[in-house]
Amino acid sequence: EEPKFQSFIGMVIAFNALLMGMETDIIWAGWFYIEQVLLTIYVFELCVLLKRWGLYFLSCRNPDIGWNSLDFAIVVSSVLDSWLFPGVTLIQKALAGDDHNHKHHDSGGANLGQVMMLMRMLRLMRILRLVKLVK
């Protein structure tokens, strides 16, 4: 975990926090694309860490198991929400060809959306971890 890499990730997280605040006040279609770039960076970071540490990354013997588990859950849930679920929905719509199932999925969508927003906010907790690593 190079200090330069950790500093870069810290800046990405800080930028993401700023972005989340701006999203609440400014309506702009471009936020989606910026979020996708940020998610790609988070996925890259997770892949680098998993490549470097292997199974030890999520091992109970690892003293950072709590932080690592949180990072893993946040990134995986974000990938599911941003990339996998929309793809599955498109395939379902293409195969079904009707809007009857669309109404059913929307009823639970608000709750899922709220959970995903909470997971995005949990990313901000990673700043605390980075501050710990800098000390």
Side-chain angles (χ1 to χ4, degrees), residues 31-133:
W31 297 131
F32 172 80
Y33 300 104
I34 295 172
E35 287 175 14
Q36 298 311 304
V37 170
L38 294 173
L39 181 55
T40 303
I41 293 169
Y42 293 134
V43 169
F44 175 75
E45 178 202 18
L46 182 62
C47 290
V48 166
L49 291 172
L50 287 171
K51 173 74 173 152
R52 180 167 190 237
W53 295 106
L55 292 177
Y56 182 72
F57 181 76
L58 293 172
S59 168
C60 292
R61 295 185 311 257
N62 187 334
D64 288 331
I65 182 67
W67 287 110
N68 292 348
S69 298
L70 178 64
D71 287 349
F72 186 82
I74 291 168
V75 173
V76 169
S77 65
S78 296
V79 166
L80 290 173
D81 181 51
S82 296
W83 297 343
L84 186 66
F85 293 157
V88 169
T89 301
L90 283 174
I91 292 170
Q92 285 178 335
K93 286 181 182 178
L95 293 175
D98 64 2
D99 288 326
H100 297 296
N101 290 335
H102 181 66
K103 290 179 183 177
H104 176 67
H105 291 298
D106 281 349
S107 64
N111 292 336
L112 180 61
Q114 291 170 348
V115 169
M116 290 301 132
M117 179 59 82
L118 178 62
M119 293 302 284
R120 285 182 61 212
M121 289 180 185
L122 284 175
R123 284 184 197 158
L124 302 179
M125 287 182 59
R126 297 180 68 211
I127 292 175
L128 298 174
R129 178 184 186 187
L130 292 174
V131 168
K132 177 187 138 202
L133 290 174

Side-chain angles (χ1 to χ4, degrees), residues 1-15 45 127 130-131 133-134:
E1 297 183 359
E2 290 283 326
K4 289 180 183 178
F5 185 68
Q6 289 300 322
S7 296
F8 171 72
I9 295 298
M11 288 187 300
V12 169
I13 294 169
F15 175 73
E45 178 202 18
I127 292 175
L130 292 174
V131 168
L133 290 174
V134 171

